[in-house]
Structure formats: C-alpha cells, structure tokens
Amino acid sequence: MKVRGIFAFMALIISATIFITACESSVDAGFEESIAPYLELEAIEGANNTTITIRRGTSAGMDSYFAFDISNVSGNSTVSEGLTEGWCMEWQKPIQSNGDTHVGIEAFSTYGSEEWKPVNYLMSIKNKLQREDPTLTYREIQVSLWSLIENPKFDLDQVLADGRMPSDMMTDGQPNFSIEKVKSIVNHVRSNYTSYTYSENAPYLVYARTDDSSQNGGFLTCDNPDTEFCEGFYTISGNVFIDANEDKVKNTLESGAQNVTVSITDSHGNRIGQTTSSTGDYSFAVYTGETDTEYTIEVLEMTDDPDDFNEGLFTNYTPTTPIVTTVTISSENISDINFGFSPQIEKMIEQFEDETILLDTKSPEFWRKQMLLARNSVRVPGRGNTGRDIPAMEISSEELFSYLIEIENLLLEKPFQFGANRFQAAFDILNLPENSIDNRLLIELLTAELNIVSGRGSGNPDFDLALIAFGESVAAELFTSPEDGILRPNSVSEILKITSVASLSSTEDTVNLLSSFNRSGTGGGGVGTN
C-alpha cells in the first residue's frame, strides 16, 4: 500500500523509462474496467514486493513526467533498483509526486501483449523522436502516451473541450505542449506499431500494481548491451567532493557533498539539473545515437531550487577544480567528472563567532561527562568514580548509544570505530591529553560529530555533513595504515599511536574550525541554501 493511505497501480520502467498511473482530476471507473488491460500480464519473479519513491522528473534532472527511485528488488534480470524515468498512465487519477513512497508493489511483464504494442513501440522510438526534434519535451511524449492507451480512454480534443486536461499540462488556461506534435506522434505510432516485434533484443514494458485497483503503469529495459533499440545510450557521472588536501583529485579518504545541483547542457542548449546523492554522486543518462556528442557539465553557484546546497557551498567553500567542464561522448560511458571544494576556514570561523551561522552545539566537556555517566550508568548528581562533581545525565544512554552507532557509519570508516565498549571508547577519545595536535583533532572531530548526529549543529544537514567530510578526511590522512587511529574492537581504552603525514598548519586550521563550531552554540539554525 502507499504511505499515507494512498493506494496505487504503478508501472516501472527500468534503465530507460518507467510508467506510473495516476495524475490528477479523479474520474470514477469500475473495478473491472480499471484492471482489464492487466489481467493477461505475467508476474515477474523477485519483483512482487518492490518499493517506489516518486518525484517530478524535472526535479531529478530527467526529461520525464516522474522520476522513480526503485528498491527492494531481488532475483530477476528485468527490474533493476535505482533512479529511472517515470510516466503517468492514467490521466484522470491523482497521485502525489513530492517524494511519496509506495511499498508492496508487484511487477508484471507486457512481453508478447498485442494490446500494449502501440505504447511499447512509442517508447522504443522516443529518443529517436527527440533527437530529430530537440524541441520535443516530455509533455508531448506524456500526452501521446495517454492518447495511445485504450483504457482509460483519452481523446485529446474532447478532454481540452471539456476542460479536463491535467493542470500540469496547462499554463494560464492554455496547453503548455504542442497539440500538433502530439497528433503527429500518435498518427505515426498507429500507422507503424505493427512493425514492432517482441524479442529478447526489443524493448517492452513491465507493469506493477498494489492490491488496489486505482492506478496502473509500465517499464522499458535497456540493460542488454546487444539490444538494438538501446544502442547510443550512455552515462556521464561524477562526484562533488570536499577536497581536504586541495590537490584537485578525489581520493578514497575524501567524501562527497550532498544535495548539490549539477547541470548538464547538450549541444542544442537543452539543460537539465540533478542534485547529488548523500555520497555526492550524480549520473546523467544521455542518448547520442551514432554521432560524437558534446555535453557541458557544471556546478551552478545559484539555482532555482531553494532547497539545494549550492549557495551554501559557494558561500563557505572555494572550488579547487573548474566548476564547468565539457566532454564528448563517442562510444562509451564517461565517469569521474568530479568537482572539488575546500572550506574557507577563516570565513566560517568568523560566521560562527558573529552568529551569522547560528549553532546549538555543545563542547567536548559536555560530551565527555555524558559518556562517563553512560559508562557508569550514573543517574544521580554528585556520583561517579573520578572524584569530580558530575551532573546527572542530560542524554539517555540509549540515545548516546545510537549516536555512536551513527558516527561509526557516518562517512569514512576512519577514525571512529568504537568496538564493544562504545561509551568507554568514546570517553577515552574525548579525554585524551590535549598536548598534541593529533589528539586535539580527534577530540574536536568526535565532538562535532556528536553535535551533528544529535541535531545540535547548524540546522542545515548539508552544511554540517560537508564540515564533517572535511574533518574526517584530514583525520584519516593522519593515519599511515588502515588500523592506525581506530579503536580496536577488543580494546576498552587503548588509543593507537597516530603518525602524522599531514602538514601541521593544515591540521591546526582544521582543529580551529571544529573547535569554533563546537564552542559557538547559541540556539541553532541560520545556514541558508538558495
């Protein structure tokens, strides 16, 4: 069923295109009428309990009606997990597309279906049509799909005359798509779809549904490299990362920046954008046909998305690599188009101290006391084994335990793996003598991570995680072997010796930045996005 009580039939389109039902302006339809086109379809093994998160296609950098993030798929070669294009299959039914999640979806194949040949044929020529006419958008493709589906019936002229066109396809009372192009596409498909042949190397749709009869959809796969219809499909991918050592190259100890909009522009000037994942990754699917094609990839300083991290990134970080690059695809995918950024440390410290960036952070002393109390299970003021007057716990041991687990899985494995005695291990780090820059870095970094995972940072997770990505990379560079600087699982209190290979000034700057972050807490919030 759908989260928040909305049930749906949906279609998944793997690698190339996915369809989903439900768009808007609900019109009543009988149960038998709604499911009739799907009774003949064969269920796909391993795809009977999938999960789909739905967004608008343009918000995910796709030229499609929806963008589907598919998960919980196993044991089949038809339905793949990941982000893919989505389409609306029932024009008269509503569905949420602002990140809503549908679970328990069962997928069905249309392989061999005569009824769905027109739609399958359209999807097989979609990219060719757009290549021949670069002005053709997802809107014309979407309306053409509605026109070719027999159930529910969609008559373009009648729907417009009745004023029932979905609002996404109207602007100021007029269609925001080309009626002429839609009719041309539909006529072409109806005149030629009989030439479409079902075979292992030809695309076909896969549909999925819940246990509800309200909505329907389908998908087209291009996973087979021998597939004739899929030749010319390539990916351009890379990462937006925090370049801790400022060498302009992403290494394994440097983490990505999330929620940063990256744009790609083709030779015709068509541009789409996509926000980076939690690991800073982005990937664009492009179609080049048989010709070398040039694309421009750019990290934009300002975007139309008020929620991305671009403005915050450029305000507080300096690019270490060009933020615009041009590539030419000939016959293979292009990867590692990476964009590096390093923190403007003095500027960030100044913003912490003058409260331009408001924080709600706690100092190492606070967290050291909490870990000591959790270790000893002390809940009464004045009790403990250190001879100091330690206040009662302000955070439960259960919450502290969850924070430490989250830190172990935050970004890099280094430097924090606490072992079985997590409270003791965390206390030992926070209680290190501050007689070396390396010890101070570990203390401030663990304190910053505790502040962030407990919700005591800036109030902007993109900013906070970028800060931690920088700190972890600098700390990880201090260790000369995979085990150095990590608490051994069988150790209660032993902190391994650290051998520094980073410059003293770089480490000192990092400590100053983290220390300012941890000691400027005043109330939280204050970092802007766009």
Side-chain angles (χ1 to χ4, degrees):
M1 66 179 184
K2 182 177 182 292
V3 172
R4 302 179 188 173
I6 302 176
F7 293 81
F9 278 96
M10 287 179 240
L12 322 172
I13 296 188
I14 302 299
S15 295
T17 312
I18 295 187
F19 299 82
I20 193 168
T21 63
C23 310
E24 99 167 64
S25 306
S26 180
V27 175
D28 292 335
F31 176 80
E32 292 183 0
E33 179 184 358
S34 178
I35 68 170
Y38 312 98
L39 294 178
E40 64 173 318
L41 304 184
E42 180 179 351
I44 298 175
E45 185 177 355
N48 59 352
N49 189 31
T50 60
T51 300
I52 300 179
T53 300
I54 306 172
R55 291 186 288 161
R56 285 293 176 187
T58 52
S59 71
M62 295 182 173
D63 188 27
S64 58
Y65 199 82
F66 292 124
F68 293 166
D69 192 353
I70 305 171
S71 59
N72 200 27
V73 179
S74 62
N76 76 87
S77 59
T78 305
V79 181
S80 301
E81 294 190 346
L83 194 66
T84 187
E85 291 182 3
W87 300 91
C88 172
M89 297 298 281
E90 292 186 330
W91 65 276
Q92 84 282 39
K93 295 183 181 180
I95 196 170
Q96 299 296 319
S97 57
N98 57 350
D100 283 27
T101 298
H102 298 251
V103 299
I105 296 169
E106 188 173 7
F108 295 81
S109 171
T110 65
Y111 186 87
S113 170
E114 290 296 317
E115 185 162 2
W116 292 102
K117 256 192 176 183
V119 173
N120 283 338
Y121 176 65
L122 171 60
M123 299 317 299
S124 74
I125 64 171
K126 176 177 73 75
N127 290 288
K128 179 176 180 291
L129 293 173
Q130 291 181 311
R131 186 172 71 253
E132 293 174 348
D133 181 3
T135 66
L136 198 64
T137 72
Y138 75 89
R139 298 179 186 277
E140 285 81 18
I141 300 298
Q142 179 62 80
V143 179
S144 297
L145 276 173
W146 289 333
S147 301
L148 292 167
I149 296 173
E150 293 299 324
N151 190 359
K153 194 68 176 178
F154 178 88
D155 183 299
L156 176 55
D157 292 331
Q158 191 63 52
V159 170
L160 286 171
D162 294 344
R164 293 190 296 152
M165 180 63 68
S167 60
D168 283 348
M169 297 299 178
M170 303 290 287
T171 301
D172 297 330
Q174 298 297 318
N176 52 25
F177 59 92
S178 169
I179 297 175
E180 180 182 354
K181 290 181 180 181
V182 169
K183 290 184 176 181
S184 176
I185 292 170
V186 172
N187 289 335
H188 174 79
V189 170
R190 286 176 174 164
S191 299
N192 295 277
Y193 79 89
T194 53
S195 64
Y196 178 87
T197 303
Y198 286 108
S199 70
E200 291 182 358
N201 290 332
Y204 61 91
L205 302 177
V206 172
Y207 283 78
R209 68 176 187 184
T210 66
D211 55 0
D212 180 280
S213 63
S214 59
Q215 303 175 34
N216 326 298
F219 88 72
L220 170 67
T221 178
C222 283
D223 290 342
N224 186 344
D226 297 325
T227 300
E228 174 186 353
F229 289 92
C230 299
E231 293 178 356
F233 286 93
Y234 299 102
T235 59
I236 299 174
S237 61
N239 188 275
V240 178
F241 70 102
I242 304 304
D243 191 1
N245 60 8
E246 300 184 18
D247 67 351
K248 305 180 182 180
V249 178
K250 186 182 186 304
N251 63 52
T252 57
L253 299 181
E254 291 173 328
S255 299
Q258 69 175 21
N259 198 31
V260 178
T261 297
V262 180
S263 74
I264 184 170
T265 306
D266 66 16
S267 56
H268 301 286
N270 300 310
R271 170 185 283 182
I272 57 175
Q274 179 185 125
T275 54
T276 55
S277 69
S278 61
T279 56
D281 294 319
Y282 70 89
S283 179
F284 294 101
V286 298
Y287 181 80
T288 66
E290 299 177 356
T291 60
D292 291 356
T293 306
E294 185 176 276
Y295 295 91
T296 300
I297 300 92
E298 179 179 4
V299 180
L300 303 170
E301 187 167 355
M302 293 292 293
T303 74
D304 294 329
D305 184 352
D307 298 320
D308 66 21
F309 184 47
N310 290 55
E311 183 180 357
L313 181 66
F314 279 89
T315 298
N316 298 289
Y317 290 77
T318 300
T320 62
T321 62
I323 60 172
V324 182
T325 186
T326 299
V327 299
T328 299
I329 286 188
S330 55
S331 60
E332 60 184 13
N333 299 330
I334 295 180
S335 59
D336 295 325
I337 306 298
N338 301 327
F339 301 92
F341 291 80
S342 64
Q344 300 178 37
I345 291 177
E346 292 184 2
K347 180 179 181 180
M348 292 171 72
I349 290 175
E350 181 179 343
Q351 291 181 97
F352 294 155
E353 293 179 349
D354 67 14
E355 299 182 10
T356 301
I357 297 177
L358 294 177
L359 303 170
D360 191 25
T361 51
K362 299 292 186 181
S363 69
E365 176 67 14
F366 171 86
W367 291 107
R368 182 164 55 243
K369 290 178 179 179
Q370 301 309 304
M371 293 301 167
L372 181 61
L373 289 165
R375 185 197 68 179
N376 295 334
S377 298
V378 174
R379 299 293 187 272
V380 180
R383 293 182 58 188
N385 61 1
T386 65
R388 294 183 295 174
D389 183 23
I390 302 176
M393 289 188 72
E394 296 184 36
I395 303 173
S396 71
S397 58
E398 291 79 10
E399 286 181 292
L400 287 173
F401 189 85
S402 70
Y403 297 160
L404 296 178
I405 293 292
E406 187 171 350
I407 287 172
E408 288 182 324
N409 297 284
L410 196 55
L411 293 173
L412 302 177
E413 181 181 0
K414 301 176 182 180
F416 301 128
Q417 294 295 313
F418 301 106
N421 298 287
R422 287 184 169 84
F423 296 137
Q424 179 68 60
F427 172 79
D428 287 341
I429 294 173
L430 295 168
N431 201 43
L432 284 169
E434 298 187 30
N435 56 3
S436 75
I437 190 65
D438 298 339
N439 284 357
R440 290 172 57 203
L441 176 58
L442 285 177
I443 292 169
E444 297 298 342
L445 179 58
L446 179 54
T447 300
E449 296 199 9
L450 284 165
N451 280 319
I452 288 171
V453 299
S454 65
R456 290 172 170 79
S458 69
N460 185 320
D462 303 330
F463 176 88
D464 291 342
L465 288 176
L467 179 69
I468 291 305
F470 173 66
E472 285 199 358
S473 295
V474 173
E477 290 263 359
L478 296 174
F479 312 128
T480 58
S481 72
E483 292 184 345
D484 286 347
I486 303 175
L487 290 173
R488 298 186 186 279
N490 60 354
S491 169
V492 173
S493 60
E494 179 187 3
I495 306 295
L496 301 182
K497 180 178 177 60
I498 299 173
T499 303
S500 175
V501 295
S503 69
L504 180 62
S505 60
S506 174
T507 306
E508 185 75 42
D509 288 343
T510 307
V511 170
N512 291 339
L513 176 62
L514 295 173
S515 177
S516 178
F517 177 79
N518 293 327
R519 291 168 174 79
S520 300
T522 59
V527 179
T529 48
N530 261 349

